[in-house]
Amino acid sequence: MLLLDAMKKIDYQPPLHFYMFPAPGPMRKVPEANRAMAFTTFEEHPPFTSNPRAAGFSQAFHERGAKAGLADTAVDLHASVAYSTWQVLEAAVNGARSLDDKALAQWLRANQVDTIMGRLRWDGPANYVMGQDLYKVKQLQDGKWLVVWPKEFAAPGAKLIGP
């Protein structure tokens, strides 16, 4: 956001700007960030929230975040990655019926795990997480982050607003 502040001081508004992994909550509150684009794996709108587990996680996150006094209770990329990590651990422990790290790793290399981010797998050459098109493109539009690409993951009625 320092870059946005600097551009504001010279009276420049970029027509489009992209951030790999921004701090989405604070950016929503800065008018200069409007039309910013970024990668995401999850946003709180259909079709993501059509998954019952994702909808339940979002609701619980809002309730518990408000109770804890969090300034921002939106579920976004960062929260989805953290929750998906727990989904993977849960699936591996249940699948391997073990807490042993070698057994968990062996199970993960042989299985895929459905998460709120999408289906994840570890069958590649380096044994790191892989997925099928995990990242989507979102855009900040009037204070809301909305996925705009690919179309099948776009928020209802959302489309890229260009320069």
Side-chain angles (χ1 to χ4, degrees), residues 92-116:
V93 167
N94 289 334
R97 297 184 180 186
S98 175
L99 295 175
D100 177 70
D101 61 335
K102 288 181 176 58
L104 299 178
Q106 182 178 3
W107 188 89
L108 286 171
R109 281 192 293 274
N111 294 276
Q112 298 180 11
V113 179
D114 287 320
T115 71
I116 65 171

Side-chain angles (χ1 to χ4, degrees), residues 3 13 53 58 69 98 163:
L3 183 58
Q13 175 70 34
R53 192 150 183 198
S58 294
S98 175

Side-chain angles (χ1 to χ4, degrees), residues 2 8 16 19 29 49 57 60 66 75-76 78 85 105-106 109 114-115 119 125 132 142 159 162:
L2 293 172
K8 183 178 179 181
L16 288 174
Y19 304 85
K29 298 173 183 161
T49 54
F57 171 64
V75 177
D76 55 27
H78 303 137
T85 301
Q106 182 178 3
R109 281 192 293 274
D114 287 320
T115 71
R119 180 170 284 178
Q132 297 174 352
D142 299 320
K159 58 185 172 185

